């Protein structure tokens, strides 16, 4: 039916709304702080999605709504933090004489990692699912892994930036 299309439309609408939130934030906040807060928010949101999906797997409970909150939080954190600030930070971390080459390398690396995530997510879900009819298990484990990677990256960038 149309349920997947309705879900996609809701996510696209939320993505649009959160993009509007990012405009005043980008004007008022330091790029480094906004990027790091967005990264931390995205990592925590992935873990919330993991907790919510895990609760759904094992019979619901009070945390089952966390999956939806986690997904909405992930989009919000990305659109208000990492997405707009990535390119601004890329121009600030390189000395002026190396900025063009450095930004080119950073943008290419970002593109490659985006492709890796695009293709790795469904493969990870499939690999971590006990069977094809239990993909929520693989999805929850994938969100846990992404959340853990996000927390490690946050700790590293907190020291390096």
């Amino acid at each position: 039916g149309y349920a997947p299309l309705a879900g996609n439309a809701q996510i696209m609408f939320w993505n649009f709304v959160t993009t509007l939130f990012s405009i005043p934030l980008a004007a008022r906040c330091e790029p480094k702080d906004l990027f790091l807060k967005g990264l931390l928010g995205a990592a925590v949101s992935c873990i919330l999605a993991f907790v919510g999906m895990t609760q759904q797997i094992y019979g619901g409970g009070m945390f089952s709504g966390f999956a939806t909150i986690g997904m909405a939080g992930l989009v919000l954190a990305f659109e208000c933090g990492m997405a707009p600030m990535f390119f601004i930070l890329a121009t600030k971390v390189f000395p002026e004489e190396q900025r063009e080459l450095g930004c080119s390398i950073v943008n290419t690396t970002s593109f490659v990692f985006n492709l890796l995530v695009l293709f790795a997510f469904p493969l990870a879900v499939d690999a971590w699912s006990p069977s094809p009819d239990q993909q929520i298990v693989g999805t929850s484990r994938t969100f846990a892994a992404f959340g853990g990677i996000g927390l490690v990256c946050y700790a590293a960038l907190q020291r390096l930036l």
Side-chain angles (χ1 to χ4, degrees), residues 22-154:
S22 74
I23 295 168
L25 285 174
R28 293 186 181 131
C29 299
E30 281 293 315
K32 173 186 154 187
D33 295 336
L34 202 52
F35 183 86
L36 288 173
K37 288 175 184 171
L39 176 57
L40 182 61
V44 169
S45 294
C46 284
I47 292 168
L48 283 176
F50 161 72
V51 169
M53 289 178 196
T54 301
Q55 286 297 311
Q56 289 176 358
I57 294 165
Y58 297 109
M62 63 184 266
F63 299 111
S64 61
F66 279 11
T68 303
I69 294 168
M71 293 300 298
L74 177 61
V75 171
L76 177 66
F78 181 77
E79 291 298 339
C80 290
M82 296 184 308
M85 295 300 118
F86 175 78
F87 299 103
I88 294 170
L89 279 177
T91 63
K92 290 187 174 198
V93 296
F94 295 105
E96 193 170 331
E97 61 273 0
Q98 297 173 338
R99 191 166 292 152
E100 288 181 23
L101 177 62
C103 286
S104 297
I105 292 170
V106 166
N107 287 338
T108 301
T109 304
S110 172
F111 179 74
V112 168
F113 273 97
N114 284 333
L115 280 175
L116 284 173
V117 169
L118 175 72
F119 291 111
F121 190 89
L123 294 173
V125 168
D126 189 47
W128 288 336
S129 297
S131 65
D133 62 332
Q134 293 182 316
Q135 286 197 337
I136 192 169
V137 174
T139 303
S140 70
R141 291 173 179 169
T142 303
F143 274 109
F146 281 11
I149 291 167
L151 290 175
V152 169
C153 290
Y154 173 78

